[in-house]
Amino acid sequence: MKYIRVLGRALFYFSLFLFLISFVFLDKDILNIDKKLSYTLYDRENNLIAYSKNEDDNYYFRTTKDEVNPQFLKILIASEDKRFNYHLGVDFIALARSFFLNLKYKKIVSGGSTIAMQSAKLLLNHKRTYLAKVKEMLLASALTLYYGKDRVLSLYLTLSPYGSSINSTKAASYFLFNKSPLNLTLSESALLVAIPKHPNTISIIYKENKDRAFSYKNKVLKSAFLNNVISKKAYLSAIKENVTSYDCRYNLKKCLYPQKSYYLGQYVFSNTKDKDNYSYIDKNIQDTLLRVSLDFKENNDSSINLGLVAIDNTKNELVGYIGGIHNEGFTSDATRAYRSTGSILKPFIYALAFDKKIILPHSIIEDNKITINAWSPRNFDKQYKGNVRAKYALINSLNVPAVELLAKLQAKNLIFNLNHGYRALKCNDDSLTTALGSCSSSLLDITSLYTIFSNQGIYNSTKIFYTKKDKPYLNFYNTKYKDLTYRFVDKDSSNAILHILKETARPFGFSSFNKISYKTGTSSNYKDALALGFKDNITIGVRAIKSNKNNINLTGYTIAAPLLFKAFDEINTNLDTRDVSSTLLQNKYKNNLDRFYLNDERYISKENKDKLKIVFPLDKSLIIANDNCVFLEYAGGFNVKKLYVNDILQDQTNVFCIKQDGQYNISIVDENLDSDSIEVFIKK
């Protein structure tokens, strides 16, 4: 009977305790930690790739118990709350011990706080007094009873302080060790358990705290060993482990920092109220794009900003995104900025012309001077090639044929068919300069459009990011995509472009890369260089933008194309098993498509250079090689197919390189077997 009375009295007081907690001390607003949290963005494997500070200029990353190494949790409990699993938020045994110790030494030497009480203290944010301790006890019990042990642990992991505005175990793990808390070593875990005890005096952000921090770390390890959480062997090994830490908020080179998608994150955070956001970014692809960008920055003018985008064609997902290197002072996102398209739209012009049966890849088209309202479009090399095949005109990005085809198609029809109600391109609907770069588009949008050629003529909107509350992915215009899908051209026309662009001249150093279909573009003022390419399941876009202070002329072929090929060289693509054949490439013409004529009185042919001729270098001349190489210019003829230097067939038809000074015989042969030869003396 005595034990029953004691138990009944205990239950009565316990019930009264719960009543007080529930209706007096549980402030729902205190438990709303979302307002404390920083915005975060994760890749498809749940790695942190972008973040921001909260409104108070601090870092708080939501951290759940499932996002940290289980060994970390065991060490934490052994160090901070040995009876964590056996009390309801308050450990009265620990409190009694703390009370007598403080009484003995006549000062506070032990707090006796549980993990729940420490969480309550972080929520209440008040001074260390006995009254405050009572409030912590009440709130700790409420947290445990209402939310359970797992959420109490997650709350502590999210709020625990690490000094220098860094809070939460996840933020500390990424900032100090450049890794997810799931991958912490035993010694690193012990250090992160120790720091919240005295975050301002033992935080290893400050070098002068290192010895003190390691002393606390070893105490945590000893506690874990004495409580049978770790073995003696593990304990001794962790004591000796040399823990290397960085401040990865700023140490770019050593960390490949957790801001891998800084610019994507900044966009996402400005267009969502959710603190935790998730993307489709592939870690390996993102790391590759970042390395390519950093290598370029180290070896080139740092005032050139870079944007790189990678899209998985089969899943329609954004898997790589570099908007610039954010700590180098760039304020604009090179990936989302609307800039000149250069000649990037030419493949779409040809694809639509194939689809409309205006022309075929082997149809003959003229590349001669034409005048349009006093405007005469010229090629990049300032030369005209005469009669050429349509395929050759696209491979060599000739301007006049593209303008002629666009005149037949009408610019507004091309733009309408590409935009489809979604403004990927901003253009003057009636301008033929659309073919040469008068439109503007973001790199993300134009790369998304280029997936058309990998998807057999079909456009699918690209998935960008999502939240767990809002699973549908979002675009860059503050509205949800509606799974925009449409057919731009038929399969035959799209596949023909895929194969034709595989024959585009490879950038120097990448002559063996014959499986990449790509196109370059250069703005008229040489401020923008573009390269778009696709291979198997991946499409990549590269844009280089020079500042106004930079006098270097950027071109797609010399600047953007090498970056594109370097990225593809390091990325493992998945073989696309879909049929990519095209009957249009079989050289079977219909009679009316053997040759394309633009019958329009606005376009007047001024010149016709039928005879094949090498116009540079001049015959019998002495020339100095440019980096040991000589670039040819020729006119007339029909689709130059071969270049011989001293009777040796060269890889390309417009350039060759020499090993020594001397007399050289140069010959070119076109598709009709017409030829021209010269002799020159070349010095290196």
Side-chain angles (χ1 to χ4, degrees):
M1 292 294 293
K2 179 180 178 181
Y3 293 107
I4 294 175
R5 284 197 301 272
V6 171
L7 180 60
R9 191 177 295 116
L11 289 173
F12 171 80
Y13 286 118
F14 185 68
S15 299
L16 180 61
F17 183 62
L18 292 183
F19 177 85
L20 291 173
I21 293 170
S22 302
F23 294 95
V24 179
F25 294 100
L26 185 58
D27 185 345
K28 297 290 185 182
D29 189 55
I30 288 177
L31 301 180
N32 180 18
I33 65 167
D34 266 24
K35 59 186 179 182
K36 274 182 175 285
L37 294 178
S38 306
Y39 284 101
T40 52
L41 180 67
Y42 300 90
D43 66 17
R44 71 189 324 143
E45 297 172 2
N46 218 32
N47 298 300
L48 181 69
I49 55 173
Y51 56 84
S52 69
K53 288 185 176 181
N54 68 4
E55 293 179 358
D56 298 324
D57 219 26
N58 290 299
Y59 297 103
Y60 283 91
F61 298 169
R62 193 193 309 276
T63 311
T64 67
K65 64 177 284 291
D66 297 324
E67 293 178 300
V68 299
N69 191 322
Q71 192 174 51
F72 176 96
L73 296 177
K74 292 178 182 179
I75 296 172
L76 172 66
I77 291 171
S79 175
E80 299 297 308
D81 195 352
K82 296 179 180 64
R83 285 171 287 276
F84 175 78
N85 295 310
Y86 305 104
H87 60 69
L88 295 176
V90 180
D91 186 346
F92 290 101
I93 297 174
L95 281 175
R97 176 179 174 276
S98 171
F99 176 77
F100 286 113
L101 283 174
N102 295 339
L103 194 63
K104 178 180 177 180
Y105 293 101
K106 297 181 181 180
K107 63 179 180 178
I108 297 177
V109 295
S110 175
S113 293
T114 62
I115 289 173
M117 290 172 66
Q118 291 181 57
S119 300
K121 180 182 177 181
L122 292 168
L123 286 170
L124 294 168
N125 193 26
H126 53 200
K127 294 182 179 179
R128 194 177 185 185
T129 65
Y130 283 110
L131 178 60
K133 183 70 70 176
V134 172
K135 290 182 178 179
E136 290 170 19
M137 291 167 57
L138 294 172
L139 183 54
S141 296
L143 291 171
T144 305
L145 290 165
Y146 272 82
Y147 297 107
K149 298 283 186 180
D150 287 355
R151 288 188 64 180
V152 166
L153 269 178
S154 298
L155 186 62
Y156 176 82
L157 296 172
T158 299
L159 299 176
S160 49
Y162 288 88
S164 188
S165 74
I166 300 173
N167 303 274
S168 80
T169 303
K170 185 186 292 182
S173 181
Y174 275 109
F175 289 157
L176 299 181
F177 303 122
N178 192 34
K179 62 175 67 173
S180 162
L182 281 169
N183 300 321
L184 291 169
T185 66
L186 178 57
S187 193
E188 290 167 346
S189 295
L191 191 54
L192 293 192
V193 167
I195 291 175
K197 295 175 184 290
H198 304 285
N200 294 321
T201 58
I202 67 173
S203 174
I204 56 173
I205 286 289
Y206 311 109
K207 292 181 180 179
E208 61 269 21
N209 293 342
K210 190 172 183 179
D211 290 341
R212 193 183 303 116
F214 277 46
S215 175
Y216 273 87
K217 176 206 75 171
N218 292 340
K219 288 180 182 179
V220 169
L221 288 168
K222 185 176 181 180
S223 174
F225 167 60
L226 294 176
N227 285 278
N228 298 316
V229 171
I230 60 175
S231 67
K232 184 176 181 179
K233 181 179 179 181
Y235 166 61
L236 294 175
S237 176
I239 290 289
K240 296 177 182 177
E241 182 184 337
N242 182 25
V243 177
T244 303
S245 65
Y246 314 100
D247 188 349
C248 285
R249 292 172 296 177
Y250 313 111
N251 200 331
L252 177 61
K253 292 183 180 178
K254 290 187 178 179
C255 291
L256 261 188
Y257 59 111
Q259 287 276 46
K260 292 177 182 177
S261 291
Y262 171 82
Y263 283 98
L264 178 60
Q266 296 312 297
Y267 171 77
V268 171
F269 304 152
S270 65
N271 288 285
T272 179
K273 294 181 179 179
D274 294 279
K275 297 300 179 72
D276 306 306
N277 301 279
Y278 302 86
S279 72
Y280 304 89
I281 296 295
D282 181 284
K283 179 181 182 299
N284 294 327
I285 293 176
Q286 185 69 7
D287 285 352
T288 296
L289 298 186
L290 186 55
R291 282 195 301 272
V292 168
S293 301
L294 292 174
D295 288 347
F296 178 85
K297 289 290 183 180
E298 288 183 0
N299 298 300
N300 294 275
D301 193 314
S302 61
S303 66
I304 299 174
N305 198 9
L306 288 181
L308 294 92
V309 167
I311 296 173
D312 187 319
N313 309 314
T314 56
K315 298 178 180 178
N316 310 312
E317 295 172 351
L318 180 69
V319 293
Y321 186 104
I322 301 291
I325 305 302
H326 79 276
N327 66 343
E328 294 193 350
F330 296 116
T331 56
S332 62
D333 184 342
T335 300
R336 288 197 299 117
Y338 269 76
R339 310 278 297 191
S340 168
T341 54
S343 58
I344 283 295
L345 296 183
K346 286 177 182 174
F348 298 103
I349 294 172
Y350 281 84
L352 198 58
F354 293 163
D355 181 74
K356 302 294 184 184
K357 298 301 181 285
I358 293 172
I359 200 170
L360 293 174
H362 292 88
S363 301
I364 297 171
I365 189 169
E366 289 186 48
D367 178 38
N368 293 311
K369 185 175 181 180
I370 60 173
T371 301
I372 308 162
N373 296 327
W375 171 57
S376 295
R378 293 190 297 174
N379 294 321
F380 188 79
D381 62 2
K382 308 294 190 295
Q383 302 295 322
Y384 299 103
K385 303 299 186 291
N387 294 326
V388 296
R389 302 284 186 195
K391 175 182 173 181
Y392 174 90
L394 176 55
I395 290 171
N396 291 277
S397 195
L398 302 183
N399 287 338
V400 172
V403 169
E404 290 179 329
L405 288 174
L406 187 59
K408 183 70 173 180
L409 291 167
Q410 293 189 8
K412 63 181 179 181
N413 291 333
L414 173 74
I415 296 164
F416 175 81
N417 278 278
L418 284 173
N419 280 342
H420 241 268
Y422 163 68
R423 292 207 69 186
L425 299 172
K426 295 180 179 179
C427 311
N428 180 340
D429 285 352
D430 297 322
S431 177
L432 295 183
T433 57
T434 293
L436 309 185
S438 64
C439 292
S440 63
S441 181
S442 73
L443 180 64
L444 176 66
D445 282 333
I446 202 68
T447 307
S448 186
L449 286 175
Y450 257 70
T451 63
I452 286 173
F453 301 122
S454 295
N455 288 321
Q456 302 182 334
I458 296 175
Y459 174 83
N460 295 293
S461 51
T462 302
K463 302 172 186 176
I464 310 296
F465 73 98
Y466 64 93
T467 68
K468 288 188 175 178
K469 292 179 183 177
D470 186 23
K471 188 67 175 178
Y473 47 90
L474 308 175
N475 70 3
F476 280 82
Y477 300 93
N478 303 333
T479 57
K480 295 175 188 176
Y481 273 123
K482 297 179 180 178
D483 283 325
L484 180 61
T485 298
Y486 63 85
R487 177 170 287 284
F488 174 64
V489 292
D490 62 26
K491 174 184 169 182
D492 256 3
S493 301
S494 175
N495 287 351
I497 298 296
L498 182 150
H499 286 287
I500 290 171
L501 293 184
K502 282 183 179 179
E503 298 184 39
T504 304
R506 312 289 94 172
F508 290 114
F510 296 94
S511 59
S512 62
F513 288 65
N514 57 4
K515 293 184 178 180
I516 299 171
S517 305
Y518 91 108
K519 180 75 181 73
T520 62
T522 304
S523 64
S524 59
N525 54 12
Y526 297 99
K527 286 187 175 182
D528 290 74
L530 285 161
L532 278 293
F534 41 97
K535 175 189 172 188
D536 297 328
N537 67 312
I538 299 295
T539 297
I540 296 177
V542 178
R543 168 171 265 146
I545 304 172
K546 75 172 183 177
S547 69
N548 292 328
K549 298 178 181 179
N550 191 316
N551 294 322
I552 300 172
N553 285 340
L554 304 185
T555 70
Y557 182 75
T558 59
I559 298 294
L563 294 173
L564 176 76
F565 277 71
K566 188 173 182 181
F568 269 121
D569 185 31
E570 297 185 28
I571 291 173
N572 292 320
T573 58
N574 297 325
L575 183 64
D576 192 342
T577 58
R578 291 176 295 184
D579 177 24
V580 294
S581 63
S582 174
T583 59
L584 301 184
L585 296 171
Q586 295 175 6
N587 203 11
K588 296 178 180 178
Y589 320 134
K590 296 179 181 178
N591 291 332
N592 62 333
L593 294 178
D594 285 354
R595 189 177 184 106
F596 172 76
Y597 291 100
L598 181 61
N599 297 317
D600 193 310
E601 61 184 11
R602 293 178 301 167
Y603 308 99
I604 306 170
S605 180
K606 297 286 187 179
E607 297 183 33
N608 191 347
K609 301 180 181 179
D610 289 328
K611 186 176 180 181
L612 180 63
K613 181 176 179 60
I614 299 173
V615 296
F616 181 84
L618 297 175
D619 193 21
K620 310 299 183 185
S621 63
L622 169 65
I623 62 171
I624 307 298
N626 183 8
D627 290 334
N628 299 330
C629 294
V630 176
F631 290 82
L632 300 181
E633 294 180 12
Y634 45 82
F638 180 68
N639 194 5
V640 173
K641 299 293 288 185
K642 295 179 181 180
L643 166 64
Y644 294 91
V645 177
N646 292 343
D647 296 325
I648 298 174
L649 181 64
Q650 304 298 303
D651 292 333
Q652 300 187 52
T653 60
N654 64 341
V655 63
F656 66 93
C657 299
I658 64 170
K659 294 182 179 179
Q660 60 186 19
D661 298 348
Q663 192 83 15
Y664 288 85
N665 181 274
I666 304 169
S667 301
I668 57 174
V669 181
D670 70 6
E671 194 167 303
N672 291 333
L673 300 182
D674 289 333
S675 64
D676 189 30
S677 298
I678 61 172
E679 283 189 359
V680 294
F681 190 89
I682 305 174
K683 283 189 174 183
K684 294 174 65 176

